[in-house]
Amino acid sequence: MRSSYRRAMTVITTSVLATALVGCGNTQSGSAPNSNNVSNEPTLTIATGVIGGKTPQENTAFANAIGQALHCKVQLISTTGNNYDQQLMTMLASGQKIDVVYTEGSSLSELAKNGEVTNLQSQIQHSSVLGNPKVVPQYEWDDIKLSSPNGQGIYGVPVKYQGALMPIVREDWLKQLGLSQPKSLNQYFTVFQTIKEKKNAYGLTLSSLYDIEPFMSAVGLKEGYVMQNGKLTIPYATSAAIPVYTWLNKLYEDKLLDPNFVTNSTADERNLFLSGRVGMFVYWDAWVPMLNNLAKTQGAGASFDAEALPGATSPDGEPLVSMGDTSVFAIPSNAPDKALAFNFLEWWNTQPGEVLGSLGVKGIDYTMTNGKYQLTSVGSDENMDHGDPEPISSYWKNPFPQLQQGYANAREIGVKYGYQPLINANWTNAQNIVWQYGDEAILGKLSPQAAVQQMHAELLREHYIDQ
């Protein structure tokens, strides 16, 4: 569910790609298409690092389900590494022909700037599906609308409700220890300290600086860029951020922060949380019920209860909650079949597409009896996340409300306090600089003052900020 801002700078290799090619007439997942039935059907090629099955066999079945719906063959190119964005850029730069690509808002702006994706605004406006605000709310389009040579343009279609990053805590531990939900950095510190003493667990784990917004909220600083008097700035690279870096370093020095935070993946964070080795981490609202469901299947204690928190109260009296960098499907400029690609974007936002993206494949992840859904053991393990765990359409109703423990509160936090960070094509490189010096401040390798000074100087030198 992570909408990653981190970009690994490695070159694409065929060893990290898994490709499923199936025909729509083939009803047996994993088997070869019948050339007599599908030879005249078009092929839809989709590149993604998120949607699909959890195994190569499930990917084949997933692609087959799309093909059956759209009457085509489907080639699903999925990555198994963490460097999907760089791989995608390499594929497009090499001229590889792809009909649909999965990407994110920050990367979409770069692709649009380079003329590598198609402006879809006119088609969207005339689409009975995508032009319906009950299917895709207007704020979603506002978040991804980009400047173009002829004015405004929409170069992608949202894949899912992206949600917001927020602290997720062992609420059952708070109750057992008589702790109230924290609202200030001092209160968070007390919670972490008590968890360390009473539960022999780290209070907090992080994945570098990916998830520190709930704490930067205490000093009113937003993630990403902020325009000040027409000048582009990065709040995390200003002196106002020093108290938070100082606080995080104190957590590290007092062994309240997981010492592996610099190298942690978000999967590492989830595993630590589920296994009771940490009391809190920062993650997506949709993962609150997923964690509660996973805990039951993984043998966690019966009292396990993951709940979301708003983060530290800002000087304005309310917390800041960063919304995710919008996940989108885009159509490359050189796509072989743009009409078929757009049909897929529409279908993905209809009920059959939403079921596939959330529940998964019928017969593998779920069955239906008398119109009622039933998850299989595979579907339960895979937690109703095949790229679209929480569809954005207001028509969508989760068929398993009993598996949504904690989600209503988490989503309300995001909707009430959430904001969309300002991201541009330079953000990936700028963020790497912020994370490098921020990590060094937390680890005590640099003083917070020196870290911010050097961070700011390098961002200025590279022309990633204006002041």
Side-chain angles (χ1 to χ4, degrees), residues 6-44:
R6 193 177 309 192
R7 306 287 186 259
M9 302 304 292
T10 55
V11 178
I12 184 172
T13 63
T14 56
S15 63
V16 296
L17 293 178
T19 303
L21 176 60
V22 299
C24 74
N26 171 25
T27 59
Q28 299 298 317
S29 63
S31 60
N34 185 330
S35 59
N36 293 327
N37 294 332
V38 302
S39 59
N40 295 324
E41 291 177 337
T43 297
L44 177 70

Side-chain angles (χ1 to χ4, degrees), residues 77-95:
I77 304 174
S78 301
T79 65
T80 56
N82 294 323
N83 58 331
Y84 169 77
D85 292 318
Q86 184 62 26
Q87 295 175 25
L88 174 61
M89 297 296 184
T90 305
M91 283 190 283
L92 294 177
S94 70

Side-chain angles (χ1 to χ4, degrees), residues 169-199:
V169 68
R170 286 290 300 270
E171 178 71 14
D172 53 318
W173 286 6
L174 294 187
K175 291 178 179 177
Q176 290 171 17
L177 300 173
L179 297 169
S180 300
Q181 292 187 349
K183 295 182 179 180
S184 68
L185 292 186
N186 285 340
Q187 291 172 358
Y188 270 96
F189 190 93
T190 298
V191 166
F192 299 152
Q193 196 172 45
T194 306
I195 287 173
K196 181 70 174 178
E197 293 172 355
K198 303 296 185 180
K199 292 294 183 180

Side-chain angles (χ1 to χ4, degrees), residues 295-317:
K296 296 173 185 176
T297 65
Q298 294 183 7
S303 67
F304 185 101
D305 181 15
E307 296 291 339
L309 301 176
T313 303
S314 73
D316 290 337

Side-chain angles (χ1 to χ4, degrees), residues 59 230 302 324:
N59 253 1

Side-chain angles (χ1 to χ4, degrees), residues 8 10 34 38 48-49 78 80 110 122 173 208-209 278 306-307 337 339 376 403 416 424 451-452 461:
T10 55
N34 185 330
V38 302
T48 175
S78 301
T80 56
E110 183 176 350
S122 178
W173 286 6
S208 189
L209 270 62
V278 68
E307 296 291 339
D337 196 333
T376 65
L403 299 180
K416 184 175 181 179
N424 66 21
V452 167
R461 186 168 61 251

